[in-house]
Amino acid sequence: MATLNLFSVFIIYFAIVLRFVNSQGLEVGFYKKTCPNVEKIVKKAVVDYVSIAPTLAAPLLRMHFHDCFVRGCDGSVLLNSTKSNQAEKDAIANLSLRGFQVIDAAKSALEKQCLGVVSCADILALVARDAVSLINGPTWQVPLGRRDGRVSILSEATTNLPTPFDNFTTLKTRFGSLGLSVKDLVVLSGGHTLGVSHCFSFGSRMYNFTGKGDMDPNMDQKYIAQLKTKCKPNDVTTTVEMDPGSFKTFDTDYYNLVSKRRGLFVSDATLLTNKQTKDYVLAQLSSRGSTFFEDFGVSMVNMGKIGVLTDKSGEIRKKCAFIN
């Protein structure tokens, strides 16, 4: 049994190493010969939709995040369920994702100019960048060359995605297992400057934090009183802005909220429980976010290298919602 366990550990270790070696196959300008207008074409699709509906930016960013954290950045979150298998898209955490039509529009336009060349996984990475940039956020160079995965399983999304209820130890473990640092953790959490959340994602902090009908002492009590006017016990339909007043704009206000104990989630509050993450939060306040935009681009590139398929692995899907 001990020999078997050791062998299993070796296989898991080898798989992790192989995933990060594969990430080296990505490069900026990957399509410069095969599809030179790829970024221009993708950006037009993003502009066409997000300029009309800025609230799409948040779910498009989350879509890339949720894709990478399950099977790596392989576009598996875009796949529809089949008769024999429920896909990642159907996991509770992914039901609020929107903007699949943006990916489809970009893919359709690319297929007309570069048939069978650009992966859906690469499109998703570019769309996330362009959506953030379009709402006054940073931009960054996206290394490309990902190929699309052929597998998407609901249970894997349920198991592997970080949750709003995670404490620091859990978050550090989740991020670390994928090669992301504590700095990546606190920087990527800044993405909560965008979008809204359902009340059930933080309702226990207001009404039943320890199972005794109490409130979370780590959340500003005046803020809880405000939230209770919007979210009733067991409310599963109402949504609340994660960054009140600027939830459609990418900015550094999130860190201000966290410092005041007004982050909606336990996973937001936990950033104040670790010295490194707390120091980062406070540094963005004192410097008015002087490094956040640059840091965010770096961490997005780091995240975009998780578990990628390159070379002859995977496929280039004809349509992003279906395997070939």
Side-chain angles (χ1 to χ4, degrees):
M1 180 63 72
T3 301
L4 178 60
N5 287 341
L6 182 61
F7 180 73
S8 299
V9 169
F10 173 77
I11 292 297
I12 293 171
Y13 173 77
F14 180 76
I16 292 173
V17 170
L18 183 61
R19 280 171 24 186
F20 291 111
V21 170
N22 283 348
S23 73
Q24 301 305 310
L26 303 183
E27 61 177 301
V28 173
F30 180 84
Y31 297 106
K32 61 185 176 182
K33 293 182 179 180
T34 56
C35 193
N37 292 323
V38 57
E39 296 202 29
K40 182 179 179 180
I41 292 170
V42 171
K43 186 172 184 178
K44 182 182 185 304
V46 176
V47 170
D48 287 346
Y49 284 90
V50 177
S51 61
I52 297 173
T55 57
L56 279 177
L60 287 170
L61 175 60
R62 285 181 63 231
M63 195 184 297
H64 183 39
F65 184 98
H66 284 206
D67 183 43
C68 294
F69 264 71
V70 180
R71 281 188 161 259
C73 311
D74 65 348
S76 54
V77 74
L78 302 170
L79 287 171
N80 287 342
S81 292
T82 63
K83 290 183 179 180
S84 60
N85 179 60
Q86 283 190 292
E88 293 172 31
K89 189 185 290 186
D90 301 305
I92 292 176
N94 287 331
L95 294 180
S96 59
L97 293 180
R98 298 181 295 118
F100 294 99
Q101 70 272 27
V102 182
I103 310 298
D104 292 338
K107 179 62 173 175
S108 178
L110 284 167
E111 288 298 290
K112 291 177 181 178
Q113 286 203 19
C114 318
L115 183 64
V117 172
V118 183
S119 69
C120 298
D122 274 346
I123 292 171
L124 182 51
L126 289 169
V127 165
R129 187 269 312 271
D130 292 341
V132 167
S133 177
L134 194 60
I135 53 172
N136 301 321
T139 189
W140 57 91
Q141 290 189 310
V142 179
L144 301 171
R146 300 167 188 80
R147 288 172 64 85
D148 297 318
R150 298 188 179 99
V151 178
S152 184
I153 302 173
L154 181 153
S155 61
E156 291 184 349
T158 302
T159 301
N160 296 332
L161 285 175
T163 79
F165 316 104
D166 287 345
N167 60 27
F168 178 77
T169 300
T170 301
L171 287 175
K172 182 180 179 181
T173 300
R174 289 186 188 274
F175 278 68
S177 68
L178 298 174
L180 297 178
S181 67
V182 170
K183 182 175 181 180
D184 291 322
L185 189 167
V186 66
V187 170
L188 292 173
S189 294
H192 288 172
T193 185
L194 296 176
V196 299
S197 171
H198 284 89
C199 293
F200 66 77
S201 295
F202 56 92
S204 62
R205 303 188 74 194
M206 299 183 292
Y207 292 108
N208 196 28
F209 187 60
T210 65
K212 300 178 180 179
D214 54 341
M215 296 184 292
D216 184 352
N218 295 314
M219 193 175 201
D220 180 72
Q221 303 299 290
K222 292 182 179 179
Y223 193 44
I224 288 180
Q226 293 178 28
L227 291 172
K228 282 185 173 182
T229 66
K230 301 176 181 180
C231 298
K232 303 306 178 184
N234 304 313
D235 187 338
V236 297
T237 57
T238 305
T239 59
V240 173
E241 297 174 10
M242 290 195 288
D243 184 357
S246 64
F247 75 106
K248 297 179 184 178
T249 304
F250 195 95
D251 54 36
T252 60
D253 286 352
Y254 167 77
Y255 294 110
N256 184 40
L257 289 171
V258 170
S259 72
K260 294 179 177 179
R261 300 187 301 132
R262 292 192 168 202
L264 284 182
F265 310 133
V266 169
S267 61
D268 295 326
T270 199
L271 297 180
L272 297 179
T273 66
N274 170 264
K275 183 180 187 305
Q276 184 177 348
T277 55
K278 182 178 181 179
D279 285 349
Y280 187 87
V281 170
L282 298 180
Q284 296 313 306
L285 289 182
S286 62
S287 67
R288 297 185 178 181
S290 63
T291 68
F292 175 53
F293 276 29
E294 181 179 353
D295 292 341
F296 192 79
V298 171
S299 289
M300 286 295 290
V301 170
N302 292 342
M303 185 187 76
K305 294 179 180 179
I306 296 172
V308 295
L309 302 173
T310 59
D311 196 19
K312 296 182 180 180
S313 300
E315 65 183 17
I316 303 297
R317 285 185 218 140
K318 297 176 183 178
K319 292 186 177 181
C320 292
F322 307 95
I323 60 174
N324 293 341

